[in-house]
Amino acid sequence: METDRKSHSIKKLGDVKCQRVDESIVPGLEDEATKVEHFLSEPKTEHVSFDGILCFEKENLERHLKMEDYLCAFDYGWKLSSGGLDSINGQGGDDLKLEEVLDGLLDEDFLLDTEFPEKFSEPDCGPCEISNVCNSSLECSSACGISESSIATIRESNSKNGVLGNRVGCDLRNTIRSKFRSQGPVTDTVRPTREHMQDLDESDDDEKPLVSPILSNQKVKSSIKVTEGDTVLRQKRLRKPTRRYIEEFSRNSTTENSKHGKVQTQEEHPQVPSESQLWRGRRKKIMPKLVEVPLPHWNIFLVSVQEFESDSELSASESEDEDKRTKRSKTACDRRKHQRAWTLVEVIKLVDGIAQYGVGKWTDIKKLLFASSAYRTPVDLRDKWRNLLRSSSAQKDNRSEVVNKPKHPVRPLPKPVVHRILELATIHPYPKVHSPKISAVH
DNA sequence: CTTAGGG
DNA sequence: CCCTAAG
């Protein structure tokens, strides 16, 4: 009995990304949920209670790692052999989409896997398994099967294991978790039905993120079901506007009035725009789509403010459905800006871009390689590069000197990537970042 | 507006 | 990531 379920689960975990969750595997869900939870959070003592599961945990982890390893290699090799990212971007459409999805897939793996970095360099993945994993992953990638099943699993895990949920790390996890908590005990029989899936797919279409649509969907659903707790939660998640914006805003609305060095009345300022508006305003500056004419700063600002006003009108209106919808999509777009973990693919893309265009051509790289990802401003790219340099050089140091990596479970980058980074670093020295460089100033 | 640099 | 100063 028990063993049956276990083996079933084992088998399933390997295929979880490629299968639609249906009735036949529901029995295994409980175990699996535990496992997923296990992946999501770092190993904890609580898991001892599931000692039966722990037995084959390693096995699964290895498998997991193998796939990841392969995917990295695959992605990397693929890009190289396809003539760099140029071709990818040039063709747009399919390739890009595939890349995005892959990106997402990697993202998950990247995030989920927290340790065992040494696995990376081990070439222990057998070809048969590889090709299997590869094919299925890719297939289901194009069919967006990843997000579906992953989401479904995560959902389940959350409704059952909500107890574990004070682990920080991924926005997605936190939000979903909290949402589920707010929905109360196990009474909700939320199961990944077709509707959910389609819903997710839809929102996945327009902006292709793996995270935000989930969040937004959760939000919508819970706001329908729960009316009280939701508002609280949502407000909790909203980020306060920055000082600058508030200042600008008050300057605009009150016609030159205040000079608060620090405006701390933000909390009750009725007109204080939420984070979403802030971001929209920001985005306008960065990638003006509607406004092509160069505008003075304050003018741009007025635009965003106006948008905000119309938005508030909307929320004031009674058609809650539509309001929620528009709001949802917009906030979903904007919210994700806040923190988005860099995926391996993105890193590689960035490195490639730098190799092509050189360090400092951030806008070029952004336009050409990150055109599809509205987040990732040129500044972000630069920041990331800065961090990459730092981390890669640090990694190099650690490799050569101290072999004990007891404290930092930080996922090191795949070898080839680090290599390229280091190469690029020596070619185009990023000003002021390279610390390990010996000051050869005599 | 874009980059660099600091927080 | 965010913010600001400087070309």
Side-chain angles (χ1 to χ4, degrees), chain A residues 223-439:
Chain A
S223 61
I224 292 175
K225 286 187 180 176
V226 199
T227 39
E228 298 172 312
D230 186 48
T231 49
V232 178
L233 270 167
R234 189 167 17 187
Q235 284 189 353
K236 216 172 182 179
R237 282 198 59 83
L238 285 180
R239 186 167 172 264
K240 285 179 187 173
T242 57
R243 277 197 306 278
R244 186 181 168 195
Y245 184 78
I246 294 180
E247 282 177 9
E248 289 280 352
F249 186 84
S250 54
R251 202 172 298 160
N252 271 327
S253 56
T254 61
T255 323
E256 201 53 57
N257 176 4
S258 53
K259 227 182 171 183
H260 310 312
K262 278 192 175 181
V263 185
Q264 290 197 336
T265 54
Q266 7 174 313
E267 277 147 38
E268 50 174 22
H269 198 311
Q271 293 275 326
V272 166
S274 66
E275 157 202 43
S276 56
Q277 281 86 34
L278 213 184
W279 282 115
R280 205 153 59 233
R282 198 155 205 253
R283 192 137 302 296
K284 272 261 154 50
K285 282 190 200 168
I286 295 166
M287 298 190 69
K289 283 180 181 175
L290 302 176
V291 190
E292 293 276 343
V293 242
L295 295 173
H297 280 354
W298 59 271
N299 223 345
I300 295 177
F301 220 91
L302 279 184
V303 172
S304 63
V305 169
Q306 277 181 356
E307 276 195 10
F308 161 65
E309 281 173 1
S310 63
D311 228 58
S312 59
E313 269 185 11
L314 253 181
S315 43
S317 74
E318 292 185 0
S319 58
E320 266 198 340
D321 260 9
E322 283 201 10
D323 167 42
K324 285 248 164 83
R325 261 205 178 180
T326 53
K327 206 125 198 189
R328 193 249 306 179
S329 59
K330 279 171 187 172
T331 51
C333 278
D334 299 334
R335 186 184 310 290
R336 93 161 64 87
K337 215 295 167 182
H338 262 303
Q339 271 208 356
R340 189 147 181 142
W342 277 74
T343 66
L344 220 192
V345 175
E346 279 177 319
V347 169
I348 294 176
K349 244 198 301 191
L350 174 62
V351 172
D352 272 336
I354 291 174
Q356 274 187 262
Y357 303 101
V359 176
K361 306 295 181 190
W362 307 117
T363 43
D364 290 344
I365 300 175
K366 194 266 184 298
K367 279 176 189 169
L368 290 163
L369 298 182
F370 290 81
S372 56
S373 27
Y375 48 98
R376 304 302 182 223
T377 70
V379 179
D380 291 334
L381 301 187
R382 182 182 52 78
D383 284 341
K384 183 53 183 177
W385 176 245
R386 202 202 285 166
N387 289 334
L388 280 179
L389 282 187
R390 198 184 300 142
S391 66
S392 62
S393 57
Q395 203 173 323
K396 191 187 179 185
D397 277 4
N398 283 341
R399 287 266 162 107
S400 57
E401 286 197 16
V402 192
V403 195
N404 53 343
K405 21 95 196 162
K407 285 185 179 180
H408 303 294
V410 184
R411 145 71 115 281
L413 289 85
K415 228 175 165 183
V417 180
V418 177
H419 228 259
R420 285 194 77 184
I421 293 175
L422 287 175
E423 276 183 14
L424 284 174
T426 59
I427 295 173
H428 328 262
Y430 189 87
K432 219 160 188 180
V433 169
H434 46 287
S435 49
K437 280 288 180 186
I438 311 162
S439 55

Side-chain angles (χ1 to χ4, degrees), chain A residues 61-63 65-67 69-70 118-130:
Chain A
L61 235 178
E62 275 196 19
R63 195 186 177 125
L65 281 167
K66 278 178 194 171
M67 186 162 92
D69 202 3
Y70 167 71
E118 63 275 13
K119 279 282 173 193
F120 246 111
S121 41
E122 277 182 34
D124 60 343
C125 15
C128 342
E129 186 168 11
I130 280 180

Side-chain angles (χ1 to χ4, degrees), chain A residues 2-13 24-29 32 35:
Chain A
E2 191 67 9
T3 35
D4 253 339
R5 265 169 78 181
K6 279 184 195 168
S7 56
H8 187 57
S9 298
I10 292 177
K11 188 193 162 201
K12 242 216 68 195
L13 188 74
S24 64
I25 53 176
V26 164
L29 267 178
E32 179 168 339
K35 257 177 290 178

